[in-house]
Amino acid sequence: MKKNLKTMRFKYIFLSLLIAFFAFSCEDPAPFDYIPQNFVEAYLIVGEPFNNIKIMKSQPLVDSFNYKNSFITDAEVKIKFENQTLELVPNPNIFEGYYYPDTNIKVKPNTKYNLEVRLKDGNTITGETVTPGVIKWKRQLPNLIYYPVDTLKLPANDTLKLSWEQVPGTIVYFIRVKSLDTLEYGKYLVPPTDEKNRRIVRPWERGSSAEYNEITRWGFIPNTETPVVWTSIKWYGLNEVSVLAPDYNFLRWFLQYQRKGQIDPLLTSVKGAIGIFGSFSQIRTTTFVVKNQP
């Protein structure tokens, strides 16, 4: 009786395993194969050398993210214009992408440039941009500005105005305010001191938000004159204010972040990948924001 019971138990276990095997073998295999997506981030800046041409690939979500692993460093990268071809090389600093070693050759205004990338797997990425014209100041910020003179008497429209010449074909300009030194303050004074820098803190910016931690603030305007309002300045001390005249590719790519904060593949300006090959011209000025109150 015991022998028959053991035999039946063995047959039951064997049959269960056999059913389980066939059940799992009939299911679709798990989708472990990941196909990376190539990505391009390339901007040409009028009057500056050719650099920061980044060719990258996406990474699978199942792996730990490593930004360095995103960069493709073995591609053939060329920029063509006016019957010339520049062969770019990987920068020693991998995070700066590809560049052209002869820094005497600068990006020209009102010029069509073509990007051509040949990957080791045989795929090709191409793009085209027409650089904007040169942008020039009409009115800059003063070297010193005081924030605030008196918070109790600060006028509601207290602003500092910037203006620049119209760039043909440009309908929207970008404004960038960037802190150049978030640590030091006193070394820029006359005579210098060891006073450290600090934020211009506002209640709605407190916390761990990405915007709070950024040293740069962006805005855009369809005009050639704008006030630099106090809320655009994040730190006391030395600040840089820039105005950018973008081409169509850069304009669309930038505005998507303002609209929904993520990449829209429909706004891609390259073929064979997602991303951007765009251009812009820019002007920059610096100003020192004085701490006029403790």
Side-chain angles (χ1 to χ4, degrees), residues 178-221:
K178 177 181 179 181
S179 173
L180 296 181
D181 194 336
T182 62
L183 299 176
E184 305 293 341
Y185 176 86
K187 76 176 185 179
Y188 300 99
L189 302 177
V190 181
T193 70
D194 59 357
E195 185 177 1
K196 301 303 179 184
N197 201 355
R198 64 180 173 86
R199 273 184 181 275
I200 300 176
V201 179
R202 302 176 187 85
W204 61 86
E205 288 185 331
R206 293 182 182 274
S208 58
S209 67
E211 183 180 358
Y212 182 82
N213 294 323
E214 285 288 339
I215 63 173
T216 302
R217 176 162 282 150
W218 289 84
F220 57 92
I221 181 173

Side-chain angles (χ1 to χ4, degrees), residues 15 24 29-30 56-57 72 76 89-90 108 130 157 165 180 182 193 207 230 233 246 253 256 267 280:
L15 183 61
F24 281 109
M56 296 179 282
K57 61 183 177 182
I72 298 174
E76 295 181 8
V89 298
K108 298 180 179 181
V130 177
N157 63 347
E165 296 180 1
L180 296 181
T182 62
T193 70
W230 289 120
I233 302 174
W253 193 254
Q256 71 180 321
L267 300 178
F280 60 87

Side-chain angles (χ1 to χ4, degrees), residues 107-225:
V107 177
K108 298 180 179 181
N110 304 310
T111 303
K112 183 171 72 174
Y113 290 91
N114 291 92
L115 173 69
E116 182 181 287
V117 179
R118 295 187 180 275
L119 304 175
K120 289 297 184 180
D121 60 9
N123 289 323
T124 301
I125 303 171
T126 59
E128 178 180 301
T129 180
V130 177
T131 55
V134 174
I135 184 172
K136 297 180 180 179
W137 287 114
K138 291 176 66 176
R139 179 182 177 182
Q140 301 185 44
L141 292 176
N143 294 328
L144 292 176
I145 57 177
Y146 295 84
Y147 177 86
V149 176
D150 189 332
T151 53
L152 298 179
K153 299 179 181 179
L154 191 65
N157 63 347
D158 181 63
T159 57
L160 295 169
K161 289 187 176 180
L162 289 172
S163 61
W164 55 93
E165 296 180 1
Q166 174 71 41
V167 177
T170 301
I171 57 175
V172 175
Y173 298 87
F174 299 136
I175 311 295
R176 180 179 63 205
V177 181
K178 177 181 179 181
S179 173
L180 296 181
D181 194 336
T182 62
L183 299 176
E184 305 293 341
Y185 176 86
K187 76 176 185 179
Y188 300 99
L189 302 177
V190 181
T193 70
D194 59 357
E195 185 177 1
K196 301 303 179 184
N197 201 355
R198 64 180 173 86
R199 273 184 181 275
I200 300 176
V201 179
R202 302 176 187 85
W204 61 86
E205 288 185 331
R206 293 182 182 274
S208 58
S209 67
E211 183 180 358
Y212 182 82
N213 294 323
E214 285 288 339
I215 63 173
T216 302
R217 176 162 282 150
W218 289 84
F220 57 92
I221 181 173
N223 199 3
T224 57
E225 180 178 286

